[in-house]
Amino acid sequence: MSRLDTLIEALRCLPGVGPKSAQRMAYHLLQRDQPGAARLSAALSEALANLRHCERCNNFTEQAVCGRCADPRHDRSLLCVVEMPADLSVIEQTHAYPGLYYVLMGRLSPLDGIGPRELGLEKLIARASDGQVREVILATNFTNEGEATAHMIAELLDARGVRVSRISRGVPVGGELEHVDAGTVAQALIDRKSL
Amino acid sequence: MSRLDTLIEALRCLPGVGPKSAQRMAYHLLQRDQPGAARLSAALSEALANLRHCERCNNFTEQAVCGRCADPRHDRSLLCVVEMPADLSVIEQTHAYPGLYYVLMGRLSPLDGIGPRELGLEKLIARASDGQVREVILATNFTNEGEATAHMIAELLDARGVRVSRISRGVPVGGELEHVDAGTVAQALIDRKSL
């Protein structure tokens, strides 16, 4: 296999990129943006070598514990569970939440083979049982998968006597947190209900 | 800027990838496909270090002259000009063309600042004037840009006394060669007309 074919094949690891797109991307990079290709190659290997998951919140970080978890100004009694880092950013933008986060890096998705074990829920359980957390706020998406994930986490934490709440259904049903305006997300945080 | 942000930014050099897609791609690679990310990083730097343009046909190759141009079994009196390597593949699949190729690696596109100089047409002129080429067959797309490119090349070669033909308009107007079936492309090759 030529190095061009190897590159085209390698580009297909990107989500949503099929054979034609991969070919177009390879030609574009080689013909029109070699500096961009070099930056991408370096950024990938740098990220792989240096990014890890925060021991406490599971978000991407370059330290053992990320800056947010290490910052003593946040309320350590509140733990908000989100699917992805982008969801965390949306909640931060509301300035309506004083606590800490746990980032699942996904959601339950039986069809894709992602169950509680693959999602690493035991890490969340351990985190929520640290003695400081008094309430876990579930802020997974209001999609079917996000709802199933919230219910599963609620059951697991309930069995361990941890108080659990769910952000209110101010977020449109079927919608994804990332695409909702900050005002609606703020309302959903305020209206959270105990489970 | 964190290494994660650097990676998201670097992914935006890919054509058609905006901020949201880049973010999704970065999370996917880091979370679900680190081996794929490592392969992509290596494939990019390998391709950048080793791929160059064939001295004769301008296609990507790892040698000074590519295998096709070096192969003495092809008819050196025919030179077919295509926009992209994918177009060359389509013509090869027809098994209807015995000659050699010249790959423009693009097309005239004044809006994107790609004129005759940026397209390197002087390299094509030199190639077509090697004394062996008796006919240049223009097989650029039948889009506005492809047609303009064909006309420009025909004028330049005409002025130098090189015989020029255009594949026939069997390819649907507005269509792109890459997406047409081999039979139609074969017909268009056979019906080529002198310009």
Side-chain angles (χ1 to χ4, degrees), chain B residues 23-148:
Chain B
Q23 198 177 53
R24 201 176 60 239
M25 285 176 168
Y27 295 154
H28 172 84
L29 290 176
L30 291 168
Q31 191 62 22
R32 304 249 174 263
D33 195 6
Q34 296 215 0
R39 273 196 307 275
L40 178 54
S41 173
L44 282 165
S45 62
E46 281 279 301
L48 287 173
N50 292 287
L51 286 177
R52 58 174 105 176
H53 292 289
C54 171
E55 285 173 10
R56 294 178 63 75
C57 74
N58 200 42
N59 201 353
F60 293 117
T61 177
E62 297 180 30
Q63 298 94 37
V65 173
C66 76
R68 179 175 288 103
C69 287
D71 184 342
R73 286 170 302 180
H74 293 112
D75 183 347
R76 285 157 187 278
S77 70
L78 290 175
L79 189 70
C80 181
V81 177
V82 295
E83 294 183 17
M84 296 300 291
D87 303 325
L88 184 159
S89 304
V90 172
I91 293 179
E92 279 296 279
Q93 282 161 28
T94 69
H95 300 294
Y97 178 66
L100 291 174
Y101 295 91
Y102 187 89
V103 184
L104 294 170
M105 295 290 174
R107 60 209 67 84
L108 291 182
S109 180
L111 288 179
D112 301 319
I114 300 173
R117 183 186 305 268
E118 288 71 29
L119 204 51
L121 289 189
E122 66 280 5
K123 186 175 170 185
L124 165 59
I125 305 300
R127 171 71 185 87
S129 315
D130 73 343
Q132 290 192 287
V133 173
R134 285 190 299 107
E135 181 179 352
V136 171
I137 304 171
L138 300 175
T140 54
N141 288 323
F142 279 91
T143 56
N144 288 340
E145 292 175 343
E147 289 275 51

Side-chain angles (χ1 to χ4, degrees), chain A residues 77-82 124-125 128-129 133-140 146-168 189 191-195:
Chain A
S77 70
L78 291 174
L79 188 69
C80 181
V81 177
V82 295
L124 165 60
I125 305 301
S129 316
V133 174
R134 285 189 299 108
E135 179 179 354
V136 171
I137 305 171
L138 301 176
T140 54
E147 288 276 51
T149 306
H151 283 294
M152 170 70 80
I153 294 170
E155 261 180 46
L156 290 169
L157 290 177
D158 216 43
R160 281 158 187 82
V162 181
R163 190 166 141 214
V164 183
S165 62
R166 177 89 166 106
I167 57 169
S168 82
L189 270 166
D191 285 353
R192 67 184 185 267
K193 56 179 183 187
S194 293
L195 293 186

Side-chain angles (χ1 to χ4, degrees), chain A residues 3 31 41 46 53 62, chain B residues 3 31 41 46 53 62:
Chain A
R3 287 189 171 94
Q31 189 63 22
S41 172
E46 282 279 302
H53 293 290
E62 297 180 30
Chain B
R3 286 189 170 93
Q31 191 62 22
S41 173
E46 281 279 301
H53 292 289
E62 297 180 30

